[in-house]
């Protein structure tokens, strides 16, 4: 979790760029890395267009060149606007009802899902359903009304089909929940949670769950924060990203999402979890100079500021190295106040300073 590049400075860092988010939309890969404080309109991760291509089904296929990687230095931008959309075989009409072709494909897929495992299945129906599902649910301009219409039609065909569709993954392991959270389409995310079949803790190929992406999202409206809090309650807030060991709390801190940090702590986030480098949330906040966050973490019961990372470095040492003087002073004061005073000699009575005794100069011993 610790930064390995850049020169430490006295000013709090704005945070790293967000994890790269890669997906498949309309058969084309899109990837992103956004600034921690987000330059985008809604604060969600941007998805610049990539040249790779892949399918939209849940087979896990797709070009390796589209695999999510570490944050890149490229400037984030919105997907290129598309020309007038061609007629699609899927949802249509003001209520986004299923077209006859898509309804037939859904019914065929439902029948296939009901068959015993090992029985050969026709992949055509599955591919069409996956393509249309991601088109309707997973674009930046996707509408909750359309998603609700598709979900309603799907659940009428069978709950098994609903679970399959809601948890479909693209070639990079992203679900509709990953996309809706990343785009800030939290109304759609709420609909997906409403189904009761959403696999919230599913991690994409980069190792991140939708809950972790929610920790990066800039939440401005009260109703959106309610969705984020619901996601935190329903998922595992202490799950670690498979490749880095980061938790949602660490991600929120590194990107300066103070409200999200508070929400995670209220939902049981563990402040002492350590990532693959042995770093804790407190170390992260200390390095980036998040003074208010450091105060909040230290106030949590059980917070251990004396923990060391894999290099034997404490949060205080990290703050000093990064020249975060205010944070270092706060940590030093906290550590000093939590240490017991020097023990009294065995032959010294427990007398008050005014009564003499072994106190030095008539004053209480000062914490070391």
């Amino acid at each position: 979790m610790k930064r390995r590049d850049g020169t430490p400075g006295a000013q709090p860092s704005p945070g790293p760029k967000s994890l790269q988010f890669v997906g498949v939309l309309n058969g084309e890969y899109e990837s992103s890395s956004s600034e921690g404080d987000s330059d985008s309109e809604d604060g969600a991760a941007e998805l610049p267009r990539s040249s790779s291509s892949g399918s939209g089904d849940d087979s896990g296929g797709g070009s390796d060149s589209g695999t999510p990687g570490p944050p890149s230095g490229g400037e984030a931008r919105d997907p290129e606007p598309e020309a007038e959309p061609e007629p699609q075989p899927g949802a249509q009409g003001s209520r986004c009802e299923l077209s006859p072709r898509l309804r037939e494909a859904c019914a065929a897929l439902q029948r296939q899902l009901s068959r015993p495992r090992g029985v050969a299945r026709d992949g055509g129906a599955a591919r069409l359903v996956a393509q249309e599902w991601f088109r309707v649910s997973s674009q930046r301009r996707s509408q909750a009304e359309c998603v609700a219409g598709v979900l309603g039609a799907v659940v009428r065909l069978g709950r098994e089909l609903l679970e399959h569709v809601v948890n479909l993954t693209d070639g990079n392991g992203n679900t509709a929940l990953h996309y809706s959270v990343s785009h800030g389409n939290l109304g759609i995310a709420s609909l997906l949670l409403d189904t009761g079949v959403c696999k919230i803790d599913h991690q994409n190929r980069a190792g991140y769950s939708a809950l972790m992406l929610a920790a990066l999202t800039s939440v401005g409206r009260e109703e959106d924060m309610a969705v984020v809090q619901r996601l935190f309650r329903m998922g595992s807030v202490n799950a670690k990203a498979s490749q880095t060991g980061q938790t949602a709390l660490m991600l929120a801190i590194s990107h300066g999402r103070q409200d999200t940090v508070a929400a995670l702590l209220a939902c049981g986030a563990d402040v002492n979890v350590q990532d693959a480098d042995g770093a804790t949330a407190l170390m992260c906040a200390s390095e980036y100079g998040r003074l208010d966050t450091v105060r909040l973490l230290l106030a949590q019961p059980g917070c251990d500021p004396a923990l060391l990372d894999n290099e034997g470095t404490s949060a205080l040492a990290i703050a000093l190295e990064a020249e975060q003087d205010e944070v270092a002073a706060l940590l030093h004061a906290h550590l000093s106040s939590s240490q017991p005073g020097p023990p009294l000699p065995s032959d010294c009575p427990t007398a008050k300073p005014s009564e003499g005794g072994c106190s030095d100069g008539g004053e209480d011993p000062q914490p070391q």
Side-chain angles (χ1 to χ4, degrees), residues 139-162:
Q139 301 190 61
R140 183 175 295 278
R141 63 180 180 274
S142 293
Q143 300 296 318
E145 182 183 8
C146 287
V147 175
V150 171
L151 289 173
V154 168
V155 73
R156 286 192 290 271
L157 292 171
R159 189 166 181 81
E160 190 174 20
L161 177 64
L162 176 68

Side-chain angles (χ1 to χ4, degrees), residues 1-49:
M1 193 68 191
K2 293 198 305 179
R3 289 179 293 172
R4 301 298 180 187
D5 55 355
T7 303
Q11 296 300 320
S13 165
K17 293 190 175 184
S18 71
L19 56 96
Q20 191 174 39
F21 184 71
V22 181
V24 180
L25 294 180
N26 291 330
E28 297 184 65
Y29 276 101
E30 296 182 322
S31 63
S32 77
S33 64
S34 66
E35 295 293 345
D37 290 330
S38 186
D39 296 326
S40 65
E41 295 176 351
D42 55 11
E46 300 287 344
L47 293 183
R49 193 172 298 280

